[in-house]
Amino acid sequence: MTTVQTGIQPISTSRRVKDRIVHVLVYLAFAIAVIPLVSVLWLVIKNGMHRFDLEFLTHSMRNIGARDAGGGAYHAIIGTLEQVSLASLIAVPIGLLTAVYLVEYGSGGRLARSISFFVDVMTGVPSVVSGLFVLAFWILALGMPFSGFAGAMALSILMMPVVVRSAEEMLRLVPNDLREASYALGVPKWRTIVKVVLPTAFTGIVTGVMLAVARVAGETAPLLLTVFFTDSINNDPFNGPQMGLPLYVFDQAGRPTDTAIDRAWTGALTLILIVMLLNLVARLIAWWRSPAKRGS
Amino acid sequence: MAKQIEVAGLDAYYGAHKAIEGITMTIEPRAVTAFIGPSGCGKSTFLRTLNRMHEVIPGARVEGKVRLEDQDLYGPGVDPVSVRRTIGMVFQRPNPFPTMSIYDNVAAGLRLNGRFSKSELDGIVESSLKGANLWNEVKDRLQKPGSGLSGGQQQRLCIARAIAVRPEVLLMDEPCSALDPISTLAIEDLISSLKRDYTIVIVTHNMQQAARVSDKTAFFNLAGQGQPGKLIEMDETSRIFTNPGQKATEDYITGRFG
Ligand SMILES: Nc1ncnc2c1ncn2[C@@H]1O[C@H](COP(=O)(O)OP(=O)(O)OP(=O)(O)O)[C@@H](O)[C@H]1O
Ligand SMILES: [Mg+2]
């Protein structure tokens, strides 16, 4: 027979024990998740600091012999910055417009559902495949040269679904009340989107774009197949092989000398710093645009 | 600038569901018309058909006629955007644009629709805020975000935003339902003064409010669950509250409903 308990009861021992166990499990999971993160960061900083100097940031690997010390990643930094900027230039407008279509115009129609499906498929495309695609289509079939731009195209294929998904989520968070308020003022739909919906979602969209940038900035495989390698500086992303920081790390780490291994660590550190710097800039932009800045 | 609205045989649907049926009425200019009725009888739906906001909802459509003086609002070739510019709306929940300052919120309708010089805008913003009884409270912080105001102030900001575009008609859907008695009183005073220039329609669940502010009252009701809402009667407010023509109206306003 069960008795119905009434009144205020003390917490039972079994609940107390369960609470403890779950507490411990949660903290344990947190610790396990943080250990690899912190140790990777620590290792990269420890090993990378050694060569993190002015020469590294301002010189390429041109005329640096296999055993020579010195040399730097200037050509790779330039390459990564150009490739990632170009990739963002392609992926962000397309991704953003797709998200706007899905949220504001598609409204669950056939086209919207199939686009949504393909975006999901694209999210699962392995990075090598996007590189292979550009290699097969752009370089082999159309006969274009290896170039930073080809790499940017491969990266943009990887960026696009991330941008679409995060922007879509942010646009859906914009309350419908605001759209209706704008319509009720006699503002056409497209202006409502440009002046009310996008600014309201702006901070979230910037964060999503940064995540996408961070994801592709470290990609090696697609670059390997599309921008190829070089030890020299090539400022022109549309012509000839370029370097990228992930490629540089991959290349240097494969060499047998300690000086090369050191350069690889420093390359990795530089890449992390660049991504962090971009993040900081994005946060500043978001903060600068937010109404909170103007005080409340 | 206030104009008369004539509605004839109006039905509104959400997909296959008919929400209101056969509504015919005349809304007088320079007067306040109140809509009362039980929840779900289609007051908001009907209000939104008057400025073509109903069709914004996917699957929603309207049949019948709405005329603003001599213009058929649902006629072929009529731009719903220009209808909404002429017939403004204030919503139940205050909804200032969160990314904009107080000033920008009031100027939003003008800025988003055309070009105005800075001094023109300044003048309109000031007169609209004064018209909404908010100027004294915010004149020192026009550049602060609108979301930093209290609920009642936000609602008055929304009214200022709506009157800044100089509409001919102002529709208000339970504008005071989220407000305290003092803010409610401020908005009721405001409605009485706006009546000089605008045609005003207000939906309210508050009988005293309807009796206080309106000249005409329309009572809506539905026959049963899932049935479309209908206009039961419409008359001078004083008549509706003292000597209504229908039994259902009397039951509703005296609280003997359902
Ligand atoms: N977006 C919508 N989609 C589908 N049906 C809706 C929608 N909005 C309202 N309805 C339906 O239309 C009918 C009328 O709703 P409406 O909001 O007009 O009532 P109301 O009189 O304003 O009620 P309240 O006093 O509670 O605000 C209701 O049956 C409601 O379920
Ligand atoms: Mg309603």
Side-chain angles (χ1 to χ4, degrees), chain B residues 14 16 52 58 92 95 112 114 150 152 165 183 194 213 220 235-237:
Chain B
Y14 290 101
R52 297 195 62 170
Q92 180 168 355
N95 50 5
L112 299 180
S150 79
V165 293
S183 309
L194 289 176
V213 301
F220 294 79
D235 211 330
E236 300 290 335
T237 298

PDB file of all heavy atoms in Angstrom, chain B residues 14 16 52 58 92 95 112 114 150 152 165 183 194 213 220 235-237:
ATOM      1  N   TYR B  14      -8.038  31.426 -40.937  1.00  0.00           N
ATOM      2  CA  TYR B  14      -6.660  30.945 -40.718  1.00  0.00           C
ATOM      3  C   TYR B  14      -6.598  29.571 -41.372  1.00  0.00           C
ATOM      4  O   TYR B  14      -7.098  28.602 -40.805  1.00  0.00           O
ATOM      5  CB  TYR B  14      -6.352  30.799 -39.236  1.00  0.00           C
ATOM      6  CG  TYR B  14      -6.236  32.118 -38.501  1.00  0.00           C
ATOM      7  CD1 TYR B  14      -7.292  32.591 -37.726  1.00  0.00           C
ATOM      8  CD2 TYR B  14      -5.089  32.883 -38.579  1.00  0.00           C
ATOM      9  CE1 TYR B  14      -7.205  33.792 -37.052  1.00  0.00           C
ATOM     10  CE2 TYR B  14      -4.983  34.084 -37.911  1.00  0.00           C
ATOM     11  CZ  TYR B  14      -6.042  34.533 -37.147  1.00  0.00           C
ATOM     12  OH  TYR B  14      -5.931  35.726 -36.480  1.00  0.00           O
ATOM     13  N   ALA B  16      -7.958  26.674 -43.072  1.00  0.00           N
ATOM     14  CA  ALA B  16      -9.335  26.253 -43.314  1.00  0.00           C
ATOM     15  C   ALA B  16     -10.271  26.765 -42.221  1.00  0.00           C
ATOM     16  O   ALA B  16     -11.484  26.724 -42.367  1.00  0.00           O
ATOM     17  CB  ALA B  16      -9.399  24.728 -43.377  1.00  0.00           C
ATOM     18  N   ARG B  52      -4.801  45.244 -43.125  1.00  0.00           N
ATOM     19  CA  ARG B  52      -4.190  44.175 -43.916  1.00  0.00           C
ATOM     20  C   ARG B  52      -2.983  43.560 -43.228  1.00  0.00           C
ATOM     21  O   ARG B  52      -2.034  43.129 -43.868  1.00  0.00           O
ATOM     22  CB  ARG B  52      -3.831  44.689 -45.319  1.00  0.00           C
ATOM     23  CG  ARG B  52      -5.077  45.105 -46.073  1.00  0.00           C
ATOM     24  CD  ARG B  52      -4.875  45.283 -47.551  1.00  0.00           C
ATOM     25  NE  ARG B  52      -4.463  44.071 -48.231  1.00  0.00           N
ATOM     26  CZ  ARG B  52      -4.405  43.950 -49.566  1.00  0.00           C
ATOM     27  NH1 ARG B  52      -4.740  44.967 -50.333  1.00  0.00           N
ATOM     28  NH2 ARG B  52      -4.001  42.838 -50.108  1.00  0.00           N
ATOM     29  N   PRO B  58       1.016  33.190 -42.339  1.00  0.00           N
ATOM     30  CA  PRO B  58       0.943  32.228 -43.436  1.00  0.00           C
ATOM     31  C   PRO B  58      -0.402  31.496 -43.449  1.00  0.00           C
ATOM     32  O   PRO B  58      -0.874  31.027 -42.413  1.00  0.00           O
ATOM     33  CB  PRO B  58       2.078  31.247 -43.128  1.00  0.00           C
ATOM     34  CG  PRO B  58       3.001  31.973 -42.227  1.00  0.00           C
ATOM     35  CD  PRO B  58       2.174  32.962 -41.471  1.00  0.00           C
ATOM     36  N   GLN B  92      -0.684  44.637 -28.308  1.00  0.00           N
ATOM     37  CA  GLN B  92      -0.975  44.336 -26.911  1.00  0.00           C
ATOM     38  C   GLN B  92       0.284  44.439 -26.045  1.00  0.00           C
ATOM     39  O   GLN B  92       0.280  45.052 -24.994  1.00  0.00           O
ATOM     40  CB  GLN B  92      -1.561  42.930 -26.821  1.00  0.00           C
ATOM     41  CG  GLN B  92      -1.897  42.487 -25.426  1.00  0.00           C
ATOM     42  CD  GLN B  92      -2.734  41.226 -25.436  1.00  0.00           C
ATOM     43  OE1 GLN B  92      -3.134  40.740 -26.473  1.00  0.00           O
ATOM     44  NE2 GLN B  92      -3.000  40.695 -24.270  1.00  0.00           N
ATOM     45  N   ASN B  95       6.366  46.668 -28.092  1.00  0.00           N
ATOM     46  CA  ASN B  95       7.431  46.034 -28.868  1.00  0.00           C
ATOM     47  C   ASN B  95       8.343  47.054 -29.530  1.00  0.00           C
ATOM     48  O   ASN B  95       8.436  47.111 -30.745  1.00  0.00           O
ATOM     49  CB  ASN B  95       6.833  45.088 -29.916  1.00  0.00           C
ATOM     50  CG  ASN B  95       5.733  45.755 -30.736  1.00  0.00           C
ATOM     51  OD1 ASN B  95       5.485  46.947 -30.586  1.00  0.00           O
ATOM     52  ND2 ASN B  95       5.109  45.014 -31.605  1.00  0.00           N
ATOM     53  N   LEU B 112      12.381  54.549 -42.339  1.00  0.00           N
ATOM     54  CA  LEU B 112      12.312  53.339 -43.141  1.00  0.00           C
ATOM     55  C   LEU B 112      11.476  53.560 -44.394  1.00  0.00           C
ATOM     56  O   LEU B 112      11.429  52.726 -45.264  1.00  0.00           O
ATOM     57  CB  LEU B 112      11.734  52.179 -42.318  1.00  0.00           C
ATOM     58  CG  LEU B 112      12.545  51.784 -41.077  1.00  0.00           C
ATOM     59  CD1 LEU B 112      11.894  50.644 -40.333  1.00  0.00           C
ATOM     60  CD2 LEU B 112      13.966  51.391 -41.449  1.00  0.00           C
ATOM     61  N   GLY B 114      11.289  56.838 -46.115  1.00  0.00           N
ATOM     62  CA  GLY B 114      11.672  57.919 -47.009  1.00  0.00           C
ATOM     63  C   GLY B 114      12.742  58.794 -46.400  1.00  0.00           C
ATOM     64  O   GLY B 114      13.308  58.464 -45.374  1.00  0.00           O
ATOM     65  N   SER B 150      10.285  51.699 -18.865  1.00  0.00           N
ATOM     66  CA  SER B 150       9.335  50.822 -18.179  1.00  0.00           C
ATOM     67  C   SER B 150       8.278  50.365 -19.177  1.00  0.00           C
ATOM     68  O   SER B 150       8.144  50.930 -20.266  1.00  0.00           O
ATOM     69  CB  SER B 150       8.667  51.576 -17.040  1.00  0.00           C
ATOM     70  OG  SER B 150       7.648  52.404 -17.555  1.00  0.00           O
ATOM     71  N   GLY B 152       5.051  50.675 -19.273  1.00  0.00           N
ATOM     72  CA  GLY B 152       4.090  51.702 -19.648  1.00  0.00           C
ATOM     73  C   GLY B 152       4.715  52.737 -20.569  1.00  0.00           C
ATOM     74  O   GLY B 152       4.095  53.196 -21.537  1.00  0.00           O
ATOM     75  N   VAL B 165       4.141  58.522 -38.073  1.00  0.00           N
ATOM     76  CA  VAL B 165       3.967  58.440 -39.528  1.00  0.00           C
ATOM     77  C   VAL B 165       2.650  59.074 -39.985  1.00  0.00           C
ATOM     78  O   VAL B 165       2.276  58.956 -41.135  1.00  0.00           O
ATOM     79  CB  VAL B 165       4.044  56.985 -40.043  1.00  0.00           C
ATOM     80  CG1 VAL B 165       5.432  56.422 -39.873  1.00  0.00           C
ATOM     81  CG2 VAL B 165       3.036  56.089 -39.335  1.00  0.00           C
ATOM     82  N   SER B 183      -0.380  54.130 -15.624  1.00  0.00           N
ATOM     83  CA  SER B 183      -0.030  54.176 -17.045  1.00  0.00           C
ATOM     84  C   SER B 183      -1.283  54.021 -17.896  1.00  0.00           C
ATOM     85  O   SER B 183      -1.413  54.645 -18.947  1.00  0.00           O
ATOM     86  CB  SER B 183       0.939  53.056 -17.399  1.00  0.00           C
ATOM     87  OG  SER B 183       2.022  53.052 -16.532  1.00  0.00           O
ATOM     88  N   LEU B 194      -6.109  62.120 -28.666  1.00  0.00           N
ATOM     89  CA  LEU B 194      -5.814  61.743 -30.053  1.00  0.00           C
ATOM     90  C   LEU B 194      -7.077  61.716 -30.905  1.00  0.00           C
ATOM     91  O   LEU B 194      -7.030  61.874 -32.120  1.00  0.00           O
ATOM     92  CB  LEU B 194      -5.155  60.352 -30.101  1.00  0.00           C
ATOM     93  CG  LEU B 194      -3.732  60.252 -29.580  1.00  0.00           C
ATOM     94  CD1 LEU B 194      -3.276  58.807 -29.602  1.00  0.00           C
ATOM     95  CD2 LEU B 194      -2.798  61.114 -30.410  1.00  0.00           C
ATOM     96  N   VAL B 213     -13.578  55.459 -22.403  1.00  0.00           N
ATOM     97  CA  VAL B 213     -12.926  56.136 -23.527  1.00  0.00           C
ATOM     98  C   VAL B 213     -13.723  56.138 -24.824  1.00  0.00           C
ATOM     99  O   VAL B 213     -13.448  56.952 -25.697  1.00  0.00           O
ATOM    100  CB  VAL B 213     -11.529  55.556 -23.827  1.00  0.00           C
ATOM    101  CG1 VAL B 213     -10.621  55.683 -22.631  1.00  0.00           C
ATOM    102  CG2 VAL B 213     -11.622  54.111 -24.293  1.00  0.00           C
ATOM    103  N   PHE B 220     -18.668  41.486 -29.817  1.00  0.00           N
ATOM    104  CA  PHE B 220     -18.469  40.288 -30.632  1.00  0.00           C
ATOM    105  C   PHE B 220     -18.709  39.065 -29.762  1.00  0.00           C
ATOM    106  O   PHE B 220     -18.463  39.084 -28.561  1.00  0.00           O
ATOM    107  CB  PHE B 220     -17.036  40.207 -31.175  1.00  0.00           C
ATOM    108  CG  PHE B 220     -16.698  41.283 -32.153  1.00  0.00           C
ATOM    109  CD1 PHE B 220     -16.387  42.555 -31.712  1.00  0.00           C
ATOM    110  CD2 PHE B 220     -16.689  41.019 -33.511  1.00  0.00           C
ATOM    111  CE1 PHE B 220     -16.071  43.555 -32.619  1.00  0.00           C
ATOM    112  CE2 PHE B 220     -16.370  42.014 -34.411  1.00  0.00           C
ATOM    113  CZ  PHE B 220     -16.064  43.287 -33.972  1.00  0.00           C
ATOM    114  N   ASP B 235     -23.356  49.948 -31.059  1.00  0.00           N
ATOM    115  CA  ASP B 235     -24.210  51.101 -30.791  1.00  0.00           C
ATOM    116  C   ASP B 235     -23.416  52.140 -30.011  1.00  0.00           C
ATOM    117  O   ASP B 235     -22.248  51.934 -29.692  1.00  0.00           O
ATOM    118  CB  ASP B 235     -25.440  50.645 -29.983  1.00  0.00           C
ATOM    119  CG  ASP B 235     -26.661  51.507 -30.291  1.00  0.00           C
ATOM    120  OD1 ASP B 235     -26.481  52.698 -30.620  1.00  0.00           O
ATOM    121  OD2 ASP B 235     -27.781  50.967 -30.210  1.00  0.00           O
ATOM    122  N   GLU B 236     -24.089  53.250 -29.685  1.00  0.00           N
ATOM    123  CA  GLU B 236     -23.476  54.228 -28.799  1.00  0.00           C
ATOM    124  C   GLU B 236     -23.055  53.510 -27.522  1.00  0.00           C
ATOM    125  O   GLU B 236     -23.819  52.689 -26.993  1.00  0.00           O
ATOM    126  CB  GLU B 236     -24.500  55.313 -28.425  1.00  0.00           C
ATOM    127  CG  GLU B 236     -25.063  56.107 -29.589  1.00  0.00           C
ATOM    128  CD  GLU B 236     -24.028  57.036 -30.199  1.00  0.00           C
ATOM    129  OE1 GLU B 236     -23.089  57.414 -29.480  1.00  0.00           O
ATOM    130  OE2 GLU B 236     -24.153  57.364 -31.398  1.00  0.00           O
ATOM    131  N   THR B 237     -21.866  53.856 -27.015  1.00  0.00           N
ATOM    132  CA  THR B 237     -21.374  53.193 -25.815  1.00  0.00           C
ATOM    133  C   THR B 237     -22.378  53.312 -24.661  1.00  0.00           C
ATOM    134  O   THR B 237     -22.654  52.342 -23.946  1.00  0.00           O
ATOM    135  CB  THR B 237     -20.023  53.803 -25.393  1.00  0.00           C
ATOM    136  OG1 THR B 237     -19.101  53.564 -26.451  1.00  0.00           O
ATOM    137  CG2 THR B 237     -19.509  53.180 -24.119  1.00  0.00           C
TER     138      THR B 237
END
